[in-house]
Amino acid sequence: GQNIDQPTEMTATEGAIVQINCTYQTSGFNGLFWYQQHAGEAPTFLSYNVLDGLEEKGRFSSFLSRSKGYSYLLLKELQMKDSASYLCAVRDRKAAGNKLTFGGGTRVLVKP
Amino acid sequence: KAGVTQTPRYLIKTRGQQVTLSCSPISGHRSVSWYQQTPGQGLQFLFEYFSETQRNKGNFPGRFSGRQFSNSRSEMNVSTLELGDSALYLCASSSDRGRNEQFFGPGTRLTVL
């Protein structure tokens, strides 16, 4: 089975940087996703890591260490609109296709 | 390209009833997955359909079922509704190629009274 942990809530100031950690234990690994979900809306895809290292996309970066079962999402130059929940999800290697296990989500509150 | 659509957006049912939710994936996507989202349990995987066949299944009771049609549209059904089935039901489609990220629909908010 899969077990995914991430902090419940984080608060940061506009313009600052926030790092959201995600640790996972899995019987098989085939990629890690980060999604953003604003209140009352559907999750939207942010990033994907399947190999170790850093993936950068604008203000958002995601890092993966498969040996440590660890990932983080880095949000730079925070804006008020970044207030949302951030979901870490792992794809099971043993299952064909898509079977994602999600963490509980980290609610990020950006303050002025 | 149109996104994933789900109908209805809101639904109120009573215990014991059954409900059918519909999902139309992004054009060209053949994989459709269903998730249940609640404040206490977060996002939980229900099942995935690909080419009209259930390819993966989560740990939900048999009251939860689904199907996929030849045009990739999918339905999920919940029979004998319980209060605990109140949740946001999200459908996601993917291309089954490359990184294969899932694109989520807006969800159906089900309330069971």
Side-chain angles (χ1 to χ4, degrees), chain A residues 47-67:
Chain A
S47 70
Y48 170 70
N49 296 72
V50 67
L51 299 176
D52 292 351
L54 189 67
E55 294 282 340
E56 295 185 89
K57 195 195 296 185
R59 294 188 298 113
F60 293 4
S61 303
S62 57
F63 171 83
L64 175 68
S65 169
R66 287 172 296 168
S67 62

Side-chain angles (χ1 to χ4, degrees), chain B:
Chain B
K1 221 180 208 181
V4 179
T5 58
Q6 291 186 245
T7 56
R9 293 293 312 278
Y10 301 91
L11 206 48
I12 299 175
K13 292 284 188 179
T14 56
R15 277 181 300 174
Q17 287 187 307
Q18 67 107 27
V19 67
T20 299
L21 312 181
S22 181
C23 170
S24 292
I26 291 172
S27 178
H29 285 188
R30 291 195 293 164
S31 167
V32 174
S33 298
W34 288 90
Y35 294 86
Q36 180 195 67
Q37 188 172 34
T38 59
Q41 299 296 320
L43 255 172
Q44 292 188 290
F45 175 80
L46 280 155
F47 29 65
E48 180 203 8
Y49 285 87
F50 180 80
S51 291
E52 301 178 67
T53 302
Q54 188 180 85
R55 186 159 67 173
N56 285 297
K57 190 177 186 308
N59 298 321
F60 278 80
R63 299 185 298 107
F64 292 82
S65 63
R67 60 178 175 168
Q68 187 179 35
F69 302 95
S70 58
N71 62 358
S72 293
R73 189 177 70 85
S74 178
E75 289 181 347
M76 67 164 281
N77 184 78
V78 188
S79 62
T80 320
L81 283 166
E82 301 176 359
L83 294 179
D85 297 333
S86 294
L88 181 67
Y89 290 88
L90 291 161
C91 160
S93 79
S94 57
S95 65
D96 216 48
R97 290 188 296 273
R99 65 189 177 199
N100 202 17
E101 75 268 35
Q102 298 191 345
F103 296 86
F104 284 84
T108 295
R109 172 75 62 186
L110 172 65
T111 302
V112 182
L113 302 176

